[in-house]
Amino acid sequence: MRTTATATQDAPNAHRHGSVTPASEQAEERSLTFEGFAYTCRIVHQSAPRTAPLVLLGGSSQNRYSWQGHEKWLSPLCTLVTVDLPGYGSSDFLPARYGMDFLAAAVRHMLVSIGMPQVNLFGGCFGEVVGLRFAQLHPEFVRRIVFCGAAKRLPDLYTDAVPRLSRALERGEIDEAAGGLVRLFMSNPGAGRVRKHAAVARLLQQQFLDQTPEEVRKAVEHNTRLTTHGCYRPLPVPDVPSLVFTGEYDTLCTPQMGRELAATMPSARFTTIKEADHLVTVERRQESSDLIGRFCTDRPIDDLPYCNAVESLRAGPVPAARR
């Protein structure tokens, strides 16, 4: 579960990529240190929020700028927080002996440092792994949960590919590794119609080819961390409104794997977005933003034209959430 692509990565200047924070909002960056590891978060403030702040934890190759393309739909609703956790983005290298509990503790450290006692939590791909562990260990911070491209077990596709791809990265065979990663994270074109499939494949390929030696080092360490520590512990999940979704043609973390994860959450619903795969938040950026925003502001998510049926996997009624 290494990555999802983004069109606005590694871009401290939003204007470079045509993604501008709304004039009524203010973005700031905070440099933090947790147990000796420096990391950075980005906060887009909303002065008149309709819901609690939204923390966006993305895939391991995403960084704190990767969600700028979603801000036009999400920032009018609430304050947004993105972060390069230790070991990712521009933050300090993190040895693989530090696992998911450490990263979850870093999320808690961030929220305490920036004064956010309760948040809506989004986790996509690897961000779900960290987000779920954070929700399990620090449930008092979580008001709602949204996970995307999620699973409670490492996909066989990933565990089979990791040794080969890691060796290619270590040997500096970036072209070979990039091609393998694109095939891993994107559906086969024959699986079904996926919006922007060719364009996103090119974007993902170029993103991998453009990695610096330090980013490659972090990528190899990430794969070691995930295969060493695993992605799931059967701990209690807070009983808060929860949604799991993915693209209908996700072949990495399949819809069935998403259902399996949702079934472990007391108040979860599940759906798939049409004409998308594992990279749904890139292929259908507006639709995925709309779904996240609707859920976090208690608006209906049934019968949306871009979603398949919403399934209820909870044992009881969804608890009301204060905004």
Side-chain angles (χ1 to χ4, degrees):
M1 267 183 277
R2 201 181 103 64
T3 190
T4 48
T6 173
T8 55
Q9 58 167 350
D10 296 318
N13 184 347
H15 299 269
R16 259 180 70 191
H17 293 269
S19 176
V20 182
T21 301
S24 60
E25 315 310 332
Q26 178 184 358
E28 68 163 317
E29 297 204 340
R30 296 280 296 273
S31 297
L32 304 168
T33 302
F34 179 60
E35 296 195 10
F37 295 95
Y39 70 103
T40 305
C41 70
R42 181 175 187 268
I43 308 167
V44 179
H45 294 280
Q46 170 53 256
S47 57
R50 294 174 54 184
T51 186
L54 174 60
V55 174
L56 295 156
L57 302 176
S60 62
S61 283
Q62 290 183 319
N63 60 34
R64 64 189 183 276
Y65 305 116
S66 295
W67 298 92
Q68 285 180 293
H70 300 74
E71 286 176 10
K72 64 187 289 186
W73 298 289
L74 292 174
S75 64
L77 305 178
C78 60
T79 293
L80 304 178
V81 181
T82 56
V83 58
D84 289 354
L85 289 171
Y88 301 89
S90 66
S91 295
D92 282 353
F93 179 84
L94 185 71
R97 66 178 180 274
Y98 292 90
M100 306 312 153
D101 288 9
F102 179 88
L103 293 172
V107 175
R108 181 189 185 280
H109 176 266
M110 175 186 73
L111 294 180
V112 171
S113 299
I114 64 179
M116 292 185 180
Q118 278 207 320
V119 298
N120 296 315
L121 177 68
F122 171 87
C125 193
F126 177 65
E128 171 267 316
V129 176
V130 178
L132 178 60
R133 192 66 55 86
F134 170 74
Q136 291 173 319
L137 297 178
H138 309 289
E140 67 276 10
F141 285 89
V142 181
R143 188 167 291 185
R144 296 176 186 81
I145 296 171
V146 183
F147 289 149
C148 172
K152 58 177 285 191
R153 53 189 168 91
L154 292 178
D156 291 341
L157 284 174
Y158 176 82
T159 55
D160 290 346
V162 160
R164 181 177 65 258
L165 295 174
S166 292
R167 286 194 298 269
L169 288 170
E170 289 170 338
R171 292 193 301 263
E173 297 169 354
I174 304 301
D175 286 350
E176 178 184 338
L181 287 164
V182 170
R183 290 189 295 273
L184 178 63
F185 289 101
M186 299 203 69
S187 64
N188 185 306
R193 181 174 185 268
V194 171
R195 300 275 183 100
K196 303 178 182 176
H197 189 281
V200 173
R202 290 193 298 271
L203 172 67
L204 188 61
Q205 176 97 4
Q206 195 59 50
Q207 177 176 322
F208 289 132
L209 290 175
D210 289 344
Q211 288 184 114
T212 67
E214 179 65 9
E215 288 170 335
V216 170
R217 180 174 176 241
K218 288 178 179 177
V220 172
E221 201 73 3
H222 162 77
N223 289 330
T224 303
R225 182 182 352 273
L226 198 48
T227 53
T228 300
H229 296 276
C231 66
Y232 179 74
R233 286 174 60 192
L235 301 170
V237 179
D239 191 358
V240 298
S242 304
L243 173 68
V244 179
F245 74 93
T246 194
E248 63 178 341
Y249 299 118
D250 189 339
T251 51
L252 181 62
C253 297
T254 64
Q256 184 54 36
M257 295 169 77
R259 290 185 183 93
E260 291 172 3
L261 175 66
T264 70
M265 305 169 69
S267 300
R269 306 181 79 191
F270 175 81
T271 191
T272 55
I273 290 183
K274 298 174 182 178
E275 299 181 4
D277 59 21
H278 189 68
L279 303 184
V280 57
T281 57
V282 180
E283 295 154 347
R284 305 208 66 174
R285 182 177 294 160
Q286 180 175 358
E287 293 86 353
S288 57
S289 297
D290 182 63
L291 181 60
I292 295 166
R294 282 176 172 274
F295 189 78
C296 288
T297 53
D298 298 329
R299 288 176 288 160
I301 61 170
D302 295 286
D303 302 318
L304 296 174
Y306 55 82
C307 280
N308 291 302
V310 178
E311 305 168 29
S312 179
L313 298 168
R314 62 189 185 276
V318 174
R322 294 176 303 160
R323 294 184 181 178

